[in-house]
Amino acid sequence: MTDKSTFFNRLNMLRKSLTENNRQPRGILKQIYHLHRFLIEQSLTGYYIIQNDKFLYVNQRLAEIFGYTVEEILNLNSYLDLIHQDSRELATQEALASLSDQSAKSVVCTLRGLRKDGAPLYIEAMASINRFWGEPVLHGNIIDITRSYLAQEALKISEERYRVIVEDQNDLIVRIGLDGTATFVNEAVCQYLNENRDGIVGKKVLSFIPPVDRDMAISSYEKLNKQQPSHTIEHRIMLPNGELRWVQWNIRAITDGTGHIVEYQSVGRDITDRKILEDNLKLLSLHDALTGLHNRAFFEAEMLRLDSNRFEPVGVIMCDLDGLKLINDSMGHIVGDTLLTETARLLRSCFRTGDVVARIGGDEFAVLLPGGSHRTTRDACRRLRRTINEYNAANPEVPLRMSIGYSARENPDRTLRQVLIEADNYMYREKLH
């Protein structure tokens, strides 16, 4: 017989015969013995019988696991000769536990073995207690788990190295599950949020993002796929004390072996100072540094924007601060700068929030009034002159003199450039007076 299934069928038939006849013929017992022995000999796992610390029997597979022949193992002084020094105490304890506890069916333990050639070996041993010739014996199976054990140990070492590296990073490192909860954060994140890990892990990451930025953050993660596994985003983080900070994140999708996303990892750094600097630079690029009003570049851009809608009336006011050069020469530039800032303050107070008030030259100012007709623009100029007169009455030592001209586009055939030139001409006529 060569097929195992045939042996099992034959074994079942023999057991049935024993049950029906209620007796144990010697021939049948002998056949059962040979069947059992064949199955043990052909087993893919090692099998052993130990009595008084020595091997009574081992199968061929067990000998192959340890790199010996069957005869060599049977001639060993003790079964402990196959166990590494580091695991002998555990092997002895498990063996004694099996022998002392008659009710225990079996024990299983992982041991470090000793191959004949000295190669590393890890085994999973199962031991059961029985009696043979009136004496207790240990018997069981041994499986070679070296490959999986070393792989697990390598994974543990790799994970530990990764953990140490991650913990030592100053960057913020967060792992996020598919349900949006934080599954891991490094120490830098805990310090940044002033929270312990238990207060962060398991929480929805969106709870730390202000509502105005949440849709953008969600959209960024949804865009990640096999073709685009990572990209960079910037959004604000809401600290427990209510402070908002800007963070730049490099987000990456983590996939399994089939390419399916199983998790996300985000590595971030605080960029709040950079954002403040960018906002300041942007403000400076569109505003006059001295007065805080819009500068000529912004004024020109608004001119183009408003000019694109020819059917909307727009008022234009041109102003020129008279005698600024004389004041700078006679009283100093500090007084001249003060007069410029006061002029800007008065201009802001006379116009609506939506009006564009700009300093377009050293002593030149201009105002755009979206929706302003000729009449409303004229009324705005009168309001400005009245405000200037009130200021001069309160500050007679350095009065503010300003030439003003205005015009308005009410005809869609006219461009704002034409309207501005007209207002500028009216302003110079007043200056000549």
Side-chain angles (χ1 to χ4, degrees):
M1 294 184 183
T2 59
D3 184 43
K4 283 189 179 182
S5 62
T6 304
F7 279 96
F8 278 114
N9 293 334
R10 179 61 177 160
L11 181 60
N12 289 330
M13 290 176 60
L14 291 171
R15 285 175 175 169
K16 183 178 180 182
S17 175
L18 287 173
T19 303
E20 290 175 349
N21 297 323
N22 196 24
R23 57 192 180 87
Q24 298 180 356
R26 186 177 182 87
I28 294 178
L29 288 176
K30 188 174 182 180
Q31 290 183 57
I32 292 175
Y33 166 76
H34 285 296
L35 284 171
H36 274 286
R37 175 143 189 183
F38 176 85
L39 292 175
I40 290 173
E41 291 291 345
Q42 299 298 317
S43 175
L44 297 178
T45 62
Y47 184 79
Y48 65 90
I49 299 175
I50 298 173
Q51 190 175 59
N52 298 323
D53 293 344
K54 288 183 63 99
F55 287 107
L56 291 183
Y57 170 81
V58 295
N59 67 352
Q60 183 61 37
R61 176 56 187 153
L62 187 140
E64 292 172 355
I65 289 174
F66 289 93
Y68 289 88
T69 64
V70 171
E71 290 75 15
E72 287 175 331
I73 293 180
L74 294 178
N75 289 325
L76 293 175
N77 293 324
S78 170
Y79 73 92
L80 293 176
D81 292 341
L82 297 182
I83 307 299
H84 192 276
Q85 187 69 36
D86 296 343
S87 295
R88 287 182 181 178
E89 183 177 355
L90 175 61
T92 304
Q93 290 173 352
E94 296 296 342
L96 291 174
S98 297
L99 291 171
S100 60
D101 187 0
Q102 298 290 332
S103 63
K105 292 183 178 180
S106 64
V107 292
V108 180
C109 59
T110 299
L111 304 171
R112 184 178 177 185
L114 280 175
R115 279 183 58 88
K116 184 178 180 180
D117 58 7
L121 175 65
Y122 291 89
I123 59 172
E124 184 176 87
M126 184 188 75
S128 298
I129 186 70
N130 214 319
R131 303 193 74 80
F132 184 63
W133 291 333
E135 296 290 334
V137 295
L138 282 176
H139 65 98
N141 297 314
I142 286 179
I143 301 174
D144 184 356
I145 60 169
T146 304
R147 182 176 297 180
S148 62
Y149 184 88
L150 293 178
Q152 289 176 4
E153 289 300 305
L155 180 61
K156 289 179 182 178
I157 293 172
S158 177
E159 289 177 344
E160 179 63 17
R161 288 175 179 170
Y162 172 79
R163 187 190 67 79
V164 171
I165 292 172
V166 165
E167 289 297 347
D168 289 343
Q169 289 293 315
N170 292 324
D171 289 339
L172 310 173
I173 301 177
V174 183
R175 284 209 170 192
I176 305 167
L178 296 181
D179 61 353
T181 60
T183 60
F184 169 82
V185 294
N186 68 343
E187 183 61 26
V189 174
C190 297
Q191 294 179 7
Y192 189 74
L193 296 177
N194 195 26
E195 289 269 8
N196 56 37
R197 275 193 176 84
D198 293 338
I200 304 173
V201 173
K203 281 190 175 181
K204 295 288 184 181
V205 173
L206 288 179
S207 65
F208 298 99
I209 302 176
V212 69
D213 290 347
R214 288 178 184 174
D215 289 343
M216 180 271 292
I218 293 172
S219 175
S220 298
Y221 282 93
E222 289 177 344
K223 291 178 181 177
L224 295 177
N225 52 50
K226 188 176 181 179
Q227 288 71 36
Q228 185 185 4
S230 69
H231 65 90
T232 301
I233 61 172
E234 296 176 358
H235 63 72
R236 284 160 290 192
I237 290 291
M238 188 163 51
L239 302 184
N241 62 4
E243 181 185 0
L244 291 177
R245 306 283 296 180
W246 278 95
V247 178
Q248 182 185 75
W249 298 97
N250 180 264
I251 61 176
R252 175 174 291 277
I254 300 174
T255 59
D256 59 13
T258 62
H260 292 91
I261 297 175
V262 296
E263 204 171 27
Y264 301 98
Q265 178 168 287
S266 296
V267 180
R269 58 190 181 90
D270 189 288
I271 58 170
T272 305
D273 292 341
R274 193 198 80 189
K275 278 289 186 180
I276 293 173
L277 180 60
E278 288 177 354
D279 290 342
N280 290 338
L281 290 174
K282 185 177 180 180
L283 186 66
L284 289 174
S285 69
L286 300 175
H287 290 78
D288 175 58
L290 176 63
T291 64
L293 297 178
H294 291 295
N295 59 15
R296 188 179 190 92
F298 184 85
F299 183 83
E300 295 284 353
E302 284 298 293
M303 283 262 296
L304 291 173
R305 185 181 68 83
L306 293 172
D307 208 23
S308 63
N309 187 2
R310 293 290 182 87
F311 295 97
E312 180 184 7
V314 179
V316 179
I317 299 174
M318 299 295 293
C319 307
D320 192 276
L321 187 61
D322 299 329
L324 180 62
K325 186 177 185 307
L326 180 62
I327 292 173
N328 284 334
D329 293 342
S330 61
M331 305 180 70
H333 285 276
I334 294 178
V335 177
D337 289 348
T338 302
L339 198 61
L340 285 169
T341 56
E342 286 298 302
T343 301
R345 183 180 63 81
L346 295 177
L347 285 169
R348 270 194 296 262
S349 68
C350 292
F351 296 97
R352 303 166 301 180
T353 304
D355 296 334
V356 179
V357 183
R359 182 188 180 194
I360 60 174
D363 55 3
E364 294 180 303
F365 299 85
V367 183
L368 292 173
L369 293 84
S373 64
H374 190 278
R375 180 178 178 179
T376 56
T377 306
R378 181 193 63 199
D379 292 342
C381 289
R382 289 175 178 174
R383 185 167 60 249
L384 175 59
R385 288 191 175 97
R386 188 166 56 249
T387 302
I388 291 172
N389 290 334
E390 292 173 357
Y391 173 83
N392 289 337
N395 301 274
E397 63 281 359
V398 186
L400 190 155
R401 305 298 180 187
M402 182 176 285
S403 300
I404 302 171
Y406 71 92
S407 184
R409 183 191 69 187
E410 295 179 312
N411 184 345
D413 293 334
R414 299 182 70 197
T415 66
L416 276 184
R417 181 64 59 185
Q418 293 171 328
V419 175
L420 182 137
I421 291 173
E422 187 175 63
D424 197 51
N425 289 334
Y426 286 143
M427 183 264 292
Y428 273 104
R429 287 182 188 178
E430 183 173 297
K431 183 180 284 289
L432 291 175
H433 278 289

